[in-house]
């Protein structure tokens, strides 16, 4: 964290010098060019943390090399704006490296009432979709000052605490190094931001959270498998809603829009700072749900899941995150209310 706090002003000056800035447009809320490449601050601090603490397990080398692939192409993207197809090729390469060379895969799922389900060929697909999906999900929510960094920090802290509880030293160490690197950067990234993390930061954090969550909850029960999903609840919800929205509205999946969760909250009247803090709160609720999942009974977990789904649906309908006509829960409640009257 101290390293991150010290080097961020240096990277701000460097980004301005090479004109690596994020310029305002119709989809963005800032009005002046802001230095980017802040992700290099997080990555540099992370590497220094690795040198000091030297965490290691059988997946370590593949994870570090894959992270270099993610960061290097993201730096180029922040400066020159790569196409979605090119970015996907690099993301897939990094994910394949971790899966096939590192051997990190969700191979089986333990059933809550006994027995196992081996995923076989689908284990590779599930693992790749998870890593690439969360990498892009974190990138998509990076639309307000401090949002992606704060949500990532909350997720990393939860992963670290749960890893400590399960005596997973490697996962806990990696998550804490990333957590403190991100918190130090957040000092300059929170509203009003002096620097953005760019794709370099958001993709790197999304990738690492995806990998560490898999390491922490590899072969678990079906109920517990929802834990990493809840830990990354805010970015995952946003990317799933974006896919559904663009499919229903017959738009290309790679076409950017201004209907993401943070955009919708700002349009309803929340200020920039209020929106970020509200989404921090939502992320904390998701992560608390993940912790409760690890402690409760099966039926308690089912209840938490149903409550969470209803809450998300309520948010979707009130913010019109898909479209103004998609309100099944509201229509159901109105129907019940009419019958009761």
């Amino acid at each position: 964290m101290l390293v991150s706090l010290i080097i961020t002003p240096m990277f701000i000056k460097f980004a301005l010098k090479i004109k690596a800035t994020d310029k305002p447009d119709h989809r963005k809320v800032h009005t002046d060019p802001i230095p980017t490449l802040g992700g290099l601050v997080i990555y540099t601090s992370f590497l220094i943390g690795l040198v000091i603490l030297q965490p290691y397990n059988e997946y370590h080398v593949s994870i570090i090399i894959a992270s270099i692939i993610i960061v290097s192409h993201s730096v180029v993207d922040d400066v020159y704006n790569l196409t979605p197809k090119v970015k996907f090729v690099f993301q897939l390469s990094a994910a394949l490296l971790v899966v096939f060379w590192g051997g990190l895969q969700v191979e089986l799922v333990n059933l809550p009432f006994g027995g196992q389900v081996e995923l076989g060929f689908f284990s590779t697909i599930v693992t790749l979709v998870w890593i690439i999906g969360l990498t892009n999900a974190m990138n998509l929510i990076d639309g307000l000052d401090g949002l992606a960094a704060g949500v990532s920090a909350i997720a990393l802290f939860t992963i670290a605490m749960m890893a400590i509880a399960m005596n997973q030293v490697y996962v806990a160490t990696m998550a804490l190094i990333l957590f403190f690197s991100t918190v130090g950067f957040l000092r300059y990234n929170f509203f009003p931001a002096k620097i953005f993390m760019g794709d370099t930061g958001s993709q790197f954090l999304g990738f690492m959270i995806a990998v560490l969550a898999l390491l922490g909850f590899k072969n678990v029960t079906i109920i517990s498998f929802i834990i990493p999903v809840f830990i990354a609840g805010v970015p995952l919800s946003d990317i799933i809603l974006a896919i559904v929205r663009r499919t229903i509205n017959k738009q290309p999946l790679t076409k950017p829009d201004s209907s993401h969760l943070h955009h919708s909250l700002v349009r309803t009247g929340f200020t920039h700072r209020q929106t970020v803090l509200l989404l921090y709160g939502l992320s904390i609720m998701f992560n608390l749900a993940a912790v409760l999942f690890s402690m409760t009974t099966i039926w308690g977990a089912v209840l938490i899941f149903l409550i969470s789904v209803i809450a998300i649906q309520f948010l979707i309908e009130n913010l019109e995150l898909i479209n103004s006509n998609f309100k099944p829960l509201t229509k159901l409640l109105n129907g019940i209310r009419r019958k009761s009257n």
Side-chain angles (χ1 to χ4, degrees), residues 105-146:
Q105 293 191 47
V106 181
E107 297 174 350
L108 56 88
V109 175
N110 295 308
L111 299 175
F113 298 105
Q116 295 178 337
V117 174
E118 293 189 6
L119 297 177
F121 171 75
F122 290 102
S123 65
T124 299
I125 296 175
V126 169
T127 308
L128 290 175
V129 169
W130 168 258
I131 295 174
I132 295 172
L134 190 50
T135 300
N136 284 290
M138 195 61 71
N139 188 29
L140 284 179
I141 70 161
D142 187 26
L144 294 179
D145 299 2

Side-chain angles (χ1 to χ4, degrees), residues 7 21 24 57 62 68 83 89 116 135 148 155 170-171 182 208 224 266 271 274 280 292 297 313 328:
I7 68 174
T21 58
N57 74 355
S62 64
I68 293 172
T83 65
V89 169
Q116 295 178 337
T135 300
Y170 177 79
V171 174
T182 305
M208 290 302 298
S224 296
V266 170
T271 66
Q274 288 171 340
Y280 282 0
L292 290 175
T297 63
Q313 182 61 33

Side-chain angles (χ1 to χ4, degrees), residues 7 13 20 43 46 86 122 125 146 176 187 208 218 230-232 243 253-254 289 299 301 331:
I7 68 174
K13 292 179 181 179
Y43 192 61
F46 168 70
V86 172
F122 290 102
I125 296 175
L176 285 174
R187 159 69 179 79
M208 290 302 298
K218 270 188 69 181
F230 267 81
I231 288 174
I243 292 171
L253 294 181
T254 57
W299 295 114
K331 292 175 182 177

Side-chain angles (χ1 to χ4, degrees), residues 13-14 17 19 21 27 69 73 83 157 165-166 176 179 187 231 257 266 293 310 312 333 335:
K13 292 179 181 179
F14 175 70
K17 186 174 182 179
K19 297 182 180 180
T21 58
R27 293 182 57 249
I69 294 174
H73 97 269
T83 65
F157 183 79
M166 294 184 290
L176 285 174
F179 169 75
R187 159 69 179 79
I231 288 174
D257 61 33
V266 170
F293 260 100
I310 293 172
I312 293 170
L333 293 175

Side-chain angles (χ1 to χ4, degrees), residues 1-7 10-11 40-55 64 173 177-178 181 204:
M1 183 170 68
L2 186 60
V3 170
S4 189
L5 285 167
I6 292 172
I7 68 174
M10 302 177 190
F11 275 85
L40 285 177
V41 172
I42 298 172
Y43 192 61
T44 303
S45 304
F46 168 70
L47 292 178
I48 291 173
L50 293 183
V51 172
I52 295 170
L53 295 177
Q54 299 182 14
I64 298 305
T173 305
I177 292 173
L178 276 170
S181 298
F204 169 61

Side-chain angles (χ1 to χ4, degrees), residues 37-330:
L37 297 183
L40 285 177
V41 172
I42 298 172
Y43 192 61
T44 303
S45 304
F46 168 70
L47 292 178
I48 291 173
L50 293 183
V51 172
I52 295 170
L53 295 177
Q54 299 182 14
Y56 185 81
N57 74 355
E58 64 268 31
Y59 305 106
H60 186 69
V61 175
S62 64
I63 291 172
I64 298 305
I65 295 176
S67 74
I68 293 172
I69 294 174
I70 291 292
V71 170
S72 58
H73 97 269
S74 298
V75 170
V76 176
D77 181 41
D78 281 331
V79 178
Y80 297 107
N81 292 320
L82 299 177
T83 65
K85 290 182 180 179
V86 172
K87 290 194 286 186
F88 176 77
V89 169
F90 282 101
Q91 292 168 0
L92 180 61
S93 300
L96 287 171
L97 184 69
V98 172
V99 170
F100 287 106
W101 184 30
L104 177 60
Q105 293 191 47
V106 181
E107 297 174 350
L108 56 88
V109 175
N110 295 308
L111 299 175
F113 298 105
Q116 295 178 337
V117 174
E118 293 189 6
L119 297 177
F121 171 75
F122 290 102
S123 65
T124 299
I125 296 175
V126 169
T127 308
L128 290 175
V129 169
W130 168 258
I131 295 174
I132 295 172
L134 190 50
T135 300
N136 284 290
M138 195 61 71
N139 188 29
L140 284 179
I141 70 161
D142 187 26
L144 294 179
D145 299 2
L147 179 55
V151 169
S152 296
I154 293 166
L156 288 164
F157 183 79
T158 302
I159 291 172
M161 294 303 102
M162 295 184 75
I164 290 172
M166 294 184 290
N167 199 31
Q168 295 184 356
V169 178
Y170 177 79
V171 174
T173 305
M174 294 285 280
L176 285 174
I177 292 173
L178 276 170
F179 169 75
F180 284 111
S181 298
T182 305
V183 169
F185 171 74
L186 192 58
R187 159 69 179 79
Y188 299 92
N189 183 235
F190 193 73
F191 183 82
K194 297 178 177 65
I195 185 172
F196 290 158
M197 66 166 63
D199 280 10
T200 307
S202 59
Q203 290 197 53
F204 169 61
L205 287 174
F207 175 81
M208 290 302 298
I209 290 170
V211 169
L212 292 177
L214 278 186
L215 278 177
F217 307 98
K218 270 188 69 181
N219 300 323
V220 292
T221 65
I222 288 177
I223 297 298
S224 296
F225 189 66
I226 299 174
I227 291 173
V229 175
F230 267 81
I231 288 174
V234 170
L236 283 180
S237 298
D238 196 47
I239 193 171
I240 291 170
L241 287 171
I243 292 171
V244 172
R245 179 175 62 250
R246 292 169 190 176
T247 301
I248 290 176
N249 296 329
K250 297 180 180 180
Q251 296 175 336
L253 294 181
T254 57
K255 181 182 178 181
D257 61 33
S258 56
S259 297
H260 291 288
L261 185 56
H262 52 277
H263 292 132
S264 299
L265 285 169
V266 170
R267 274 199 301 270
T268 60
F270 289 98
T271 66
H272 192 128
R273 185 187 296 267
Q274 288 171 340
T275 299
V276 172
L277 293 176
L278 183 61
L279 290 175
Y280 282 0
L282 184 61
S283 184
I284 290 171
M285 289 174 63
F286 271 123
N287 281 263
L288 286 175
V291 173
L292 290 175
F293 260 100
S294 67
M295 300 167 59
T296 189
T297 63
I298 293 172
W299 295 114
V302 171
L303 179 62
I304 294 170
F305 178 76
L306 290 175
I307 292 172
S308 301
V309 169
I310 293 172
I312 293 170
Q313 182 61 33
F314 180 80
L315 194 64
I316 290 170
E317 295 183 14
N318 278 271
L319 293 178
E320 298 182 351
L321 294 173
I322 295 180
N323 59 46
S324 58
N325 296 319
F326 184 77
K327 297 185 177 182
L329 182 60
T330 302

